[in-house]
Amino acid sequence: MISPKQIHQKTLKLWESGRILQASLEKETLFPWHIHFRKPNAQQQLDEFNKIRDWIANLKAHSNESGAASYGIEYKTNNHRQLGVQQLPTRIVFENREDCLRYISKLGEFTALQKSYQQSCTKYPALHDWIISKPRLFMKYQKTWGKLISVCDYFIAHPHPDCYLRELEITSLDSKFIEKNTAILTELLDLLLPAESIDQTVTGLKQHGFERRYGLKYDEPVIRLRLLDKTLQPSPELSDLSLPLSQLCNWKINCWRVFITENKINGLSFPAVQDSFVIFGLGYGVDSLTEISWLSNCEIYYWGDIDTHGFSILSRLRRHFPKVHALMMDEQTLSQHQSLCVEEPPNARCQNQLQYLNKAEQKLYQTLQTRHQRLEQERIPISYVKKRIKYLIK
């Protein structure tokens, strides 16, 4: 048996699915729409006679039999052995869309959606198929749909704006609106903008993906580095530099060796090395270095903690720069500094399969997962660091 409350819930669920709007736009026949339910069997009719009588009365009171714009009830006549002829509800039916929408108080909202659809598709015909395929999304953003279209208008008129979101002059909205709606705007802009106005190499919204995809400026990662050879310095006072990523991409430092280290203090205290500089403080942010194409021509050394995450970052870096060398991330360094090791917390260990480690590194990585050890870079004596660097550059 079904109650008026359950009928309302099922009807509201139909609305929220977007099927009513979708069927209307596709001119598909959705009505009459039926709701099926479990009917009382012969024994229940006998045992629960009063309850079933009240159930039928309640259904009728909320149906179109009461004169309201509501659902209809379809009946089936049964000849019960003890009770005689019984007429029981067998299906709930909404004969037309208007009765259905009035029943859940959605007729006004439906009318507004149809008007919004017509205006949008008149302006941008490409939206027709998108709205039909994603009616729930269209309904979800209906309150701000006009603003979303205004953003699309701006980008169509000003492709690759080459400015920050804060600088966009769009009537009646601010940059915060765009920041909060980048996911839906990405769908709409991909649909409406010409291919040449989109950077197809950028996918996803992470790392300012929206800005990069549609030609906006953004708060770039800042890369900190030290020039380890005085001859590389643009002036005698400049050795420790912090540069936006794009500027470092365009400044090809005339050297052939690059060191990358996680720890800031190790970068600051890194010994002088001819034809070299050191990048430090990135951690997992090493992915940003992939944009610096000229690094591929350098000999790259990565010095990370001897722990599971240190090797994870090494593998990540080597995915983009296959010839990266590991520096002081070996069994020799670990064994010589056992007394300086600490425990790597169980809930903080990397458990991933790392594809870009060599055999010796893979063995040590697996050992660390069972030993639960970590040797942090800053614990290694600077005399040992200088000795290894000196041996390296012979």
Side-chain angles (χ1 to χ4, degrees):
M1 297 188 290
I2 192 169
S3 68
K5 181 179 179 180
Q6 290 171 321
I7 294 170
H8 191 275
Q9 289 172 341
K10 287 179 179 291
T11 310
L12 195 59
K13 189 174 180 180
L14 174 69
W15 165 258
E16 291 170 349
S17 73
R19 280 290 294 125
I20 296 177
L21 177 64
Q22 186 181 56
S24 168
L25 299 181
E26 289 189 301
K27 303 192 184 309
E28 174 190 346
T29 302
L30 183 61
F31 294 89
W33 182 67
H34 297 89
I35 299 176
H36 298 268
F37 56 90
R38 182 175 294 179
K39 276 71 70 177
N41 58 35
Q43 189 61 46
Q44 285 177 305
Q45 292 176 47
L46 190 62
D47 296 342
E48 303 176 25
F49 180 81
N50 290 334
K51 180 180 178 180
I52 292 172
R53 182 186 59 190
D54 293 344
W55 166 62
I56 296 172
N58 191 36
L59 278 185
K60 287 182 177 181
H62 291 85
S63 74
N64 56 15
E65 294 180 30
S66 66
S70 184
Y71 58 83
I73 305 173
E74 294 183 355
Y75 297 90
K76 184 177 181 180
T77 302
N78 295 318
N79 192 7
H80 195 280
R81 184 175 297 176
Q82 281 88 6
L83 300 175
V85 175
Q86 298 292 310
Q87 192 177 46
L88 295 176
T90 185
R91 282 195 310 187
I92 301 300
V93 60
F94 285 95
E95 293 292 346
N96 56 66
R97 183 177 63 218
E98 285 68 29
D99 283 351
C100 179
L101 293 172
R102 286 192 180 95
Y103 178 66
I104 55 174
S105 303
K106 294 293 182 181
L107 184 58
E109 189 173 335
F110 174 79
T111 303
L113 283 165
Q114 283 189 313
K115 182 178 179 181
S116 177
Y117 160 81
Q118 290 167 356
Q119 291 174 341
S120 300
C121 293
T122 299
K123 190 171 193 177
Y124 297 120
L127 286 172
H128 169 78
D129 289 344
W130 183 88
I131 293 172
I132 286 177
S133 66
K134 299 184 177 183
R136 291 178 66 186
L137 210 52
F138 180 61
M139 292 165 64
K140 176 182 176 181
Y141 287 99
Q142 196 53 217
K143 289 183 179 180
T144 57
W145 187 255
K147 291 184 176 182
L148 294 172
I149 293 298
S150 293
V151 176
C152 293
D153 292 342
Y154 183 90
F155 277 89
I156 289 169
H158 308 88
H160 297 292
D162 194 31
C163 62
Y164 294 99
L165 280 175
R166 177 71 178 82
E167 298 177 272
L168 298 183
E169 296 284 350
I170 305 177
T171 306
S172 301
L173 62 89
D174 56 38
S175 58
K176 291 290 184 183
F177 174 80
I178 300 177
E179 290 170 3
K180 291 177 182 178
N181 292 281
T182 51
I184 181 63
L185 282 168
T186 297
E187 286 211 36
L188 296 176
L189 290 173
D190 280 0
L191 185 69
L192 300 178
L193 286 176
E196 60 269 19
S197 298
I198 302 171
D199 186 344
Q200 304 289 352
T201 64
V202 179
T203 58
L205 296 175
K206 292 182 179 179
Q207 297 178 340
H208 302 282
F210 182 85
E211 290 88 341
R212 289 158 54 216
R213 188 169 177 83
Y214 303 111
L216 290 158
K217 292 181 179 178
Y218 58 96
D219 184 14
E220 298 180 45
V222 174
I223 309 298
R224 189 170 182 183
L225 60 90
R226 278 186 59 236
L227 301 169
L228 304 175
D229 183 340
K230 289 184 178 181
T231 64
L232 299 176
Q233 295 175 204
S235 71
E237 300 81 15
L238 296 177
S239 62
D240 186 341
L241 306 170
S242 295
L243 298 173
L245 180 60
S246 63
Q247 293 185 24
L248 187 55
C249 289
N250 294 325
W251 179 34
K252 187 179 185 305
I253 301 174
N254 188 26
C255 71
W256 66 277
R257 188 187 294 113
V258 178
F259 297 97
I260 300 169
T261 182
E262 286 181 55
N263 189 278
K264 182 171 77 170
I265 197 64
N266 284 332
L268 293 172
S269 60
F270 207 91
V273 183
Q274 188 177 5
D275 286 328
S276 305
F277 71 93
V278 60
I279 294 172
F280 52 96
L282 290 177
Y284 275 99
V286 293
D287 284 347
S288 61
L289 299 180
T290 62
E291 296 189 34
I292 308 173
S293 58
W294 55 264
L295 279 182
S296 298
N297 301 320
C298 301
E299 191 170 76
I300 304 174
Y301 292 85
Y302 175 72
W303 178 26
D305 293 334
I306 301 182
D307 64 6
T308 58
H309 287 282
F311 281 103
S312 176
I313 296 171
L314 172 62
S315 179
R316 198 179 189 119
L317 187 60
R318 206 175 267 158
R319 179 176 60 187
H320 305 292
F321 302 104
K323 295 181 181 180
V324 169
H325 304 282
L327 178 63
M328 290 179 283
M329 296 180 69
D330 48 47
E331 187 65 53
Q332 175 189 340
T333 303
L334 182 64
S335 61
Q336 288 188 32
H337 301 92
Q338 282 291 327
S339 61
L340 303 176
C341 290
V342 295
E343 182 183 7
E344 187 173 21
N347 61 347
R349 294 175 201 136
C350 177
Q351 302 291 340
N352 298 333
Q353 294 288 329
L354 305 182
Q355 300 179 30
Y356 300 97
L357 302 182
N358 62 34
K359 287 184 179 180
E361 294 161 352
Q362 194 70 250
K363 182 180 179 181
L364 183 52
Y365 172 65
Q366 292 169 359
T367 299
L368 291 169
Q369 288 179 316
T370 55
R371 275 194 209 167
H372 311 152
Q373 277 185 314
R374 67 181 310 207
L375 177 60
E376 296 166 311
Q377 296 169 292
E378 62 269 30
R379 295 179 183 272
I380 299 175
I382 195 68
S383 57
Y384 181 86
V385 175
K386 290 180 178 179
K387 180 180 176 181
R388 290 291 297 265
I389 298 297
K390 184 177 180 180
Y391 177 80
L392 176 70
I393 62 176
K394 278 186 177 180

